């Protein structure tokens, strides 16, 4: 990373949503650009920078929260008209702040994604896509899953692309779906790859992948996608701009973990990270341009809490040589004095208003109010380590977060967290299995944790979030952990695997059986997609087993190479049907070969964990032996290498501290479920199974499973 950029904070507004900031076109070759940004207070602000200070151009009155902002204009002219989407309304403003459009759409839900091209409006709510021309409804499409973003390309016919939660880019012409392009994760944002080819579209996913696809009306091809061993935050915003002024546009990426990245291209045309800067908040919008000073390019970004900042190529400090004194010019000194004066005035005003509020609340209780604060949270499955990532972000500093669960789960901390955790004794008999408090340090606005669940046990994880506000208030967030919580959507399954099958028939509708499946599996749309037959495929992120769900009115067929998956699914579906007083006819077809197949999938990972545990156990003994003998010379080459890697092995063991127990539990469930389908209760033989696992031998284990 040989790029040096310097951070400048320009302004802070209210909480911002994804893609709610744009740079206005420059009015001349050496002119700087204005910034248009909208927040959840409903305020659209346009400002420029002059001598390091923000200078307002216009500012609208507060209103409903603004969810999207875009720029457009007459094709072939400067794109300087500002469009904002708020609730189900679209408003348009000129560059000077005059409103010229107020269009109330016919969408029943709030607008979540918007793209404007000339007189065409492409709008999306959660599942519905609408295309308007001159505010007249032209096209409509009901997506099979939640829509995260929309964009329009010319191929040469105008083609719309929807980024949907089902890991597909749906390509539309008018109201017709032409085809889909599968991407390696739920796509969260789209932008044109501005290299001169309007058919090339950049996408970013919620699991941190970045890729480029070429989309035509006939097909869609993946050109490249990033691969990295390090897990990165979900991508919220993208842009292309030539920051380095080398004639090739770089890719700018903003993530929900606060990472701001710049990718350049190598000689083979593959992207490589050139620059990274980590903020304390999510990056909701990003764009390249020239804002602070003419002649100096910069990356302009907005954060969740409303900070507008620039990463500029302008050198802010003169590099001092040996013996040089730090020199602050007169302009900078004046600015520092002004900032200190403003800070003192603000602190005095805060103290004055706080005293006034306390006196008023004592004399008149009706004046007391609860201060609201916005929370941005996520609870997503990470396929790398089969854990759920719980991320909580607050617009102000977090005081503490209390976690409570009614099912057994494990909470693992993340390295970058600075919170102090304390666990309380729980009453398991009253369905209270977790009570943990995370006390955050001052100015902490983000908290990220890993949650490990056990399939077959389902319930609710609750987070009680308290901010550093007076008076103290708390907000509660609930996260549902489903019976098959570790399953992730995939495009297709391996049909060559030995499959177990359960079939259900009865007098149920498509919507009813879909709701039952949704209650059991994650990453599914709440409403049933259009069509008479529905099919979904899943992969267990912990065991790498597969599951296929096919259902229609009155019939459902579910296949998996894991008997435990079929057992859990059967129990949940019959339970949900019983709640609705619906009688089901259930038939099962169990494959004996699937048991050894599942054990074979577990074998290499379990053996790896057992070897890791054995190595970590040896480390302390080897250290004592080394001290007693006066050096490592007494040890063999293998043991010396083990001591050299001791810290790395211990860290790995710490991150995967309960993996062996999880595998043991999975094998025990597999053993019980195999014989349950035969009508035999073998729970009394589980201690014998655990003895075999503690003295692990794969052949002995398989033979034990095959005993009658």
């Amino acid at each position: 990373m040989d790029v040096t950029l310097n951070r400048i904070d320009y302004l802070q507004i209210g909480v911002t949503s994804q893609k709610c900031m744009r740079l206005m076109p420059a009015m001349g070759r050496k002119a700087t650009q204005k910034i248009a940004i909208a927040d959840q207070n409903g305020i659209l602000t346009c400002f420029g920078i002059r001598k390091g200070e923000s200078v307002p151009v216009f500012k609208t009155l507060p209103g409903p929260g603004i969810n999207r902002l875009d720029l457009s204009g007459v094709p072939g002219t400067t794109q300087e008209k500002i469009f904002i989407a708020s609730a189900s309304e679209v408003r348009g403003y000129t560059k000077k702040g005059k409103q010229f459009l107020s269009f109330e759409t016919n969408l029943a839900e709030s607008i979540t994604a918007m793209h404007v091209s000339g007189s065409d409006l492409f709008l999306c709510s959660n599942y519905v896509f609408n295309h308007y021309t001159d505010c007249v409804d032209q096209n409509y499409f009901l997506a099979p899953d939640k829509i995260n973003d929309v964009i329009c390309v010319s191929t040469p016919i105008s083609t719309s692309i929807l980024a949907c939660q089902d890991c597909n880019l749906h390509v539309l012409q008018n109201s017709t779906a032409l085809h889909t392009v599968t991407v390696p994760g739920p796509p969260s944002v789209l932008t044109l790859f501005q290299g001169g080819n309007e058919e090339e579209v950049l996408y970013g996913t919620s699991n941190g992948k970045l890729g480029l696809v070429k989309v035509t009306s006939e097909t869609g091809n993946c050109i490249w996608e990033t691969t990295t061993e390090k897990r990165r935050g979900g991508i919220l915003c993208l842009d292309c701009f030539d920051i380095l002024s080398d004639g090739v546009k770089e890719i700018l990426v903003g993530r929900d973990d606060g990472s701001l990245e710049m990718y350049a291209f190598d000689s083979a045309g593959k992207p490589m990270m050139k620059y990274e800067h980590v903020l304390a908040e999510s990056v909701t919008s990003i764009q390249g341009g020239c804002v602070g000073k003419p002649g100096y390019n910069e990356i302009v970004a907005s954060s969740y809490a409303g900070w507008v900042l620039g990463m500029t190529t302008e050198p802010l400090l003169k590099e001092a040589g040996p013996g040089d004194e730090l020199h602050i010019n007169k302009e900078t000194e004046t600015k520092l004095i002004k900032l200190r004066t403003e800070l003192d005035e603000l602190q005095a005003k805060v103290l004055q208003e706080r005293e006034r509020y306390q006196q008023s609340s004592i004399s008149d209780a009706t004046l007391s109010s609860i201060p609201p604060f916005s929370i941005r949270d996520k609870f997503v499955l990470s396929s790398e380590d089969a854990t759920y990532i719980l991320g909580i972000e607050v617009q102000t500093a977090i005081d503490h977060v209390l976690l409570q669960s009614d099912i057994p789960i494990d909470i693992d901390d993340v390295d970058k967290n600075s919170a102090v955790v304390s666990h309380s004794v729980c009453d398991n008999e009253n369905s209270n299995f977790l009570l943990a408090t995370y006390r955050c340090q001052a100015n902490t606005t983000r908290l990220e944790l890993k949650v490990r669940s056990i399939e077959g046990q389902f319930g609710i994880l609750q987070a009680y979030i308290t901010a550093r506000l007076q008076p103290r208030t708390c907000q509660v967030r609930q996260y549902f952990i489903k019976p098959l919580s570790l399953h992730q959507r995939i495009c297709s399954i391996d049909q060559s695997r030995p499959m177990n099958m359960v079939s259900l028939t009865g007098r149920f509708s498509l919507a009813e059986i879909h709701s039952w499946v949704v209650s059991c599996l994650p990453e599914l749309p709440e409403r049933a997609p259009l069509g008479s037959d529905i099919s979904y495929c899943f992969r267990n992120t912990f065991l790498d087993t597969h599951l296929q769900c096919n259902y229609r009115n009155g019939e459902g067929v579910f296949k998996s190479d894991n008997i435990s998956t079929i057992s859990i699914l059967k129990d949940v579906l019959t339970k949900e049907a019983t709640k609705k007083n619906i009688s089901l006819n259930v038939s099962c077809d169990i494959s004996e070969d699937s048991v050894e197949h599942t054990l074979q999938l577990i074998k290499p990972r379990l053996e790896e964990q057992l070897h890791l545990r054995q190595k970590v156990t040896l480390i302390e003994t080897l250290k004592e032996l080394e001290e007693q003998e006066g050096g490592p010379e007494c040890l063999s080459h293998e043991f010396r290498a083990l001591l050299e890697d001791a810290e790395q092995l211990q860290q790995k063991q710490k991150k995967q501290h309960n993996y062996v127990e999880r595998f043991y539990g999975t094998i025990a469930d597999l053993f019980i479920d195999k014989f349950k389908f035969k009508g035999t209760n073998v729970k009394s033989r589980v201690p014998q199974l655990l003895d075999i696992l503690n003295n692990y031998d794969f052949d002995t284990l398989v033979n034990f499973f095959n005993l009658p």
Side-chain angles (χ1 to χ4, degrees):
M1 297 185 185
D2 52 356
V3 178
T4 302
L5 300 177
N6 299 299
R7 174 173 174 171
I8 306 175
D9 292 326
Y10 290 130
L11 188 71
Q12 186 179 24
I13 58 171
V15 172
T16 63
S17 297
Q18 184 183 2
K19 296 180 73 172
C20 276
M21 183 208 71
R22 292 291 301 271
L23 300 188
M24 305 293 290
M27 301 309 295
R29 289 187 60 186
K30 295 186 178 182
T32 57
Q33 295 174 263
K34 306 293 189 297
I35 301 174
I37 185 167
D39 61 25
Q40 283 298 302
N41 296 325
I43 300 173
L44 170 62
T45 304
C46 184
F47 68 96
I49 303 299
R50 184 181 302 165
K51 295 182 179 180
E53 298 287 337
S54 61
V55 179
V57 177
F58 71 86
K59 187 176 182 179
T60 65
L61 295 174
I66 298 171
N67 299 324
R68 279 291 197 271
L69 183 150
D70 202 2
L71 296 181
S72 188
V74 178
T77 64
T78 305
Q79 308 293 290
E80 58 185 12
K81 291 184 178 179
I82 306 169
F83 294 84
I84 58 173
S86 176
S88 59
E89 181 186 16
V90 176
R91 298 196 299 273
Y93 294 87
T94 65
K95 63 180 180 179
K96 295 184 178 180
K98 181 180 179 181
Q99 184 174 340
F100 65 87
L101 174 67
S102 179
F103 172 48
E104 184 66 39
T105 68
N106 55 358
L107 294 173
E109 299 175 324
S110 295
I111 298 169
T112 57
M114 176 177 71
H115 178 78
V116 187
S117 177
S119 59
D120 292 309
L121 273 173
F122 302 89
L123 305 176
C124 300
S125 58
N126 284 332
Y127 294 91
V128 176
F129 162 80
N130 272 83
H131 170 209
Y132 301 89
T133 301
D134 292 325
C135 298
V136 178
D137 197 349
Q138 297 291 323
N139 299 298
Y140 167 90
F141 180 75
L142 181 62
D145 211 329
K146 184 180 177 182
I147 303 171
N148 296 322
D149 203 3
V150 61
I151 201 169
C152 179
V153 299
S154 300
T155 61
I157 303 172
S158 179
T159 304
S160 307
I161 302 175
L162 307 181
C164 292
Q165 195 67 22
D166 61 356
C167 300
N168 285 313
L169 305 181
H170 294 263
V171 183
L172 313 177
Q173 268 188 9
N174 300 326
S175 299
T176 304
L178 300 178
H179 57 85
T180 61
V181 183
T182 302
V183 296
S188 53
V189 61
L190 302 174
T191 191
L192 291 177
F193 184 61
Q194 299 171 2
N197 191 341
E198 292 189 355
E199 296 180 352
E200 295 180 348
V201 176
L202 271 175
Y203 67 83
T205 68
S206 58
N207 61 355
K209 302 292 185 181
L210 172 68
L212 179 68
V213 295
K214 184 174 182 178
V215 178
T216 66
S217 57
E218 292 82 20
T219 185
N221 299 315
C222 178
I223 299 176
W224 53 257
E225 65 182 46
T226 56
T227 56
T228 176
E229 294 181 359
K230 180 183 176 183
R231 182 192 170 274
R232 298 189 176 276
I235 298 176
L236 295 180
C237 47
L238 293 169
D239 190 37
C240 296
F241 187 77
D242 186 10
I243 292 289
L244 305 178
S245 300
D246 56 0
V248 179
K249 293 184 179 181
E250 287 76 37
I251 300 174
L252 310 180
V253 180
R255 299 180 183 268
D256 62 11
D257 63 354
S259 297
L260 186 154
E261 301 168 350
M262 180 177 73
Y263 288 82
F265 293 92
D266 58 19
S267 57
K270 299 295 183 181
M272 56 180 181
M273 189 184 296
K274 200 75 173 176
Y275 177 81
E276 181 181 19
H277 180 79
V278 180
L279 308 178
E281 305 159 6
S282 300
V283 182
T284 54
S285 301
I286 194 168
Q287 198 170 0
C290 180
V291 172
K293 191 172 182 180
Y296 292 99
N297 292 333
E298 61 186 283
I299 303 172
V300 182
S302 65
S303 70
Y304 168 73
W307 281 106
V308 183
L309 57 102
M311 304 300 298
T312 178
T313 55
E314 178 188 3
L316 299 184
L317 293 175
K318 180 183 177 182
E319 188 173 335
D324 290 349
E325 295 183 359
L326 180 64
H327 176 70
I328 300 176
N329 58 36
K330 196 169 183 179
E331 181 182 342
T332 305
E333 187 176 358
T334 304
K335 188 175 179 181
L336 287 172
I337 294 172
K338 184 180 178 182
L339 288 173
R340 290 194 186 101
T341 304
E342 288 181 359
L343 184 60
D344 293 339
E345 291 175 354
L346 285 172
Q347 288 176 338
K349 191 173 181 180
V350 167
L351 289 174
Q352 181 182 356
E353 291 297 327
R354 184 173 292 169
E355 291 176 2
R356 179 181 167 189
Y357 168 77
Q358 290 176 348
Q359 291 174 359
S360 301
S361 60
I362 293 172
S363 60
D364 186 358
T366 59
L367 292 177
S368 180
S369 61
I370 297 175
F373 57 92
S374 297
I375 297 175
R376 183 182 184 276
D377 59 346
K378 67 174 182 178
F379 190 65
V380 296
L381 179 61
S382 171
S383 60
E384 287 80 6
D385 53 5
T387 61
Y388 275 87
I389 306 298
L390 172 59
I392 297 172
E393 185 171 7
V394 181
Q395 69 179 109
T396 186
I398 303 173
D399 185 63
H400 66 268
V401 175
L402 173 66
L403 298 178
Q404 186 272 333
S405 173
D406 59 0
I407 61 170
I409 59 172
D410 291 324
I411 302 291
D412 291 344
D413 205 354
V414 177
D415 294 337
K416 54 189 174 185
N417 279 347
S418 57
V420 178
V421 61
S422 59
H423 292 267
S424 302
V425 179
C426 300
D427 183 8
N428 296 349
E429 293 181 358
N430 292 321
S431 299
N432 191 11
F433 290 89
L434 172 72
L435 199 61
T437 304
Y438 285 81
R439 292 177 174 84
C440 300
Q441 297 183 4
N443 301 323
T444 299
T445 58
R446 292 185 73 255
L447 183 68
E448 191 170 288
L449 308 167
K450 288 186 175 182
V451 179
R452 299 185 187 275
S453 61
I454 302 171
E455 286 209 325
Q457 303 192 34
F458 52 96
I460 299 175
L461 171 65
Q462 297 188 102
Y464 297 81
I465 305 160
T466 304
R468 292 183 185 271
L469 296 173
Q470 294 294 336
R472 291 295 171 91
T473 58
C474 174
Q475 291 190 30
V476 183
R477 290 288 190 271
Q478 291 187 335
Y479 309 99
F480 293 92
I481 299 174
K482 299 186 177 183
L484 294 175
S485 56
L486 300 183
H487 280 70
Q488 191 172 56
R489 287 267 299 274
I490 56 176
C491 298
S492 60
I493 66 170
D494 183 1
Q495 297 289 350
S496 64
R497 298 186 176 195
M499 287 293 179
N500 308 285
M501 184 177 68
V502 59
S503 300
L504 308 175
T505 56
R507 301 183 63 180
F508 51 80
S509 66
L510 179 64
E512 284 174 326
I513 190 172
H514 179 74
S515 68
W516 303 343
V517 176
V518 168
S519 68
C520 190
L521 285 155
E523 300 186 355
L524 290 177
E526 295 178 1
R527 61 183 71 178
L530 294 177
S532 58
D533 294 287
I534 297 179
S535 179
Y536 292 115
C537 296
F538 294 86
R539 181 182 73 89
N540 186 311
T541 55
F542 186 58
L543 302 178
D544 196 31
T545 56
H546 289 178
L547 168 66
Q548 185 177 45
C549 306
N550 297 296
Y551 50 92
R552 60 174 69 91
N553 279 320
E555 184 183 359
V557 178
F558 304 90
K559 299 178 181 179
S560 176
D561 52 340
N562 187 351
I563 288 181
S564 295
T565 300
I566 289 296
S567 176
I568 294 170
L569 195 59
K570 172 180 169 291
D571 292 344
V572 173
L573 295 180
T574 52
K575 182 179 177 181
E576 292 295 327
T578 303
K579 289 180 182 178
K580 296 284 187 74
N581 293 322
I582 296 175
S583 178
L584 293 180
N585 296 319
V586 182
S587 62
C588 301
D589 183 10
I590 303 302
S591 171
E592 291 287 341
D593 295 337
S594 68
V595 176
E596 185 173 348
H597 162 78
T598 305
L599 292 174
Q600 287 282 2
L601 290 176
I602 297 174
K603 177 185 176 183
R605 300 179 62 190
L606 176 58
E607 290 178 351
E608 179 187 357
Q609 292 299 319
L610 291 172
H611 291 155
L612 176 62
R613 175 182 285 186
Q614 185 180 17
K615 288 179 180 178
V616 172
T617 305
L618 278 173
I619 287 173
E620 292 302 323
T621 305
L622 293 175
K623 285 182 177 179
E624 292 179 6
L625 183 61
E626 183 183 20
E627 290 177 0
Q628 292 174 1
E629 298 296 330
E633 292 78 12
C634 63
L635 302 176
S636 66
H637 177 73
E638 180 184 354
F639 287 152
R640 285 201 297 268
L642 182 61
L643 282 180
E644 290 175 0
D645 298 335
E647 185 177 351
Q648 182 181 353
L649 292 171
Q650 288 172 337
Q651 286 293 329
K652 188 176 181 180
Q653 170 73 3
K654 184 179 177 181
K655 291 181 180 179
Q656 303 175 355
H657 62 92
N658 61 350
Y659 267 38
V660 173
E661 288 72 19
R662 291 180 76 187
F663 282 122
Y664 283 5
T666 300
I667 293 171
D669 290 339
L670 185 67
F671 179 69
I672 293 170
D673 291 331
K674 174 189 174 181
F675 287 94
K676 185 175 76 171
F677 280 103
K678 295 182 177 181
T680 306
N681 189 338
V682 293
K683 290 185 178 180
S684 60
R685 295 168 59 186
V686 171
Q688 187 179 354
L689 172 64
L690 294 178
D691 288 338
I692 294 173
L693 290 172
N694 288 328
N695 302 282
Y696 180 76
D697 178 75
F698 183 74
D699 293 333
T700 305
L701 179 64
V702 172
N703 292 333
F704 183 78
F705 267 78
N706 292 330
L707 290 175

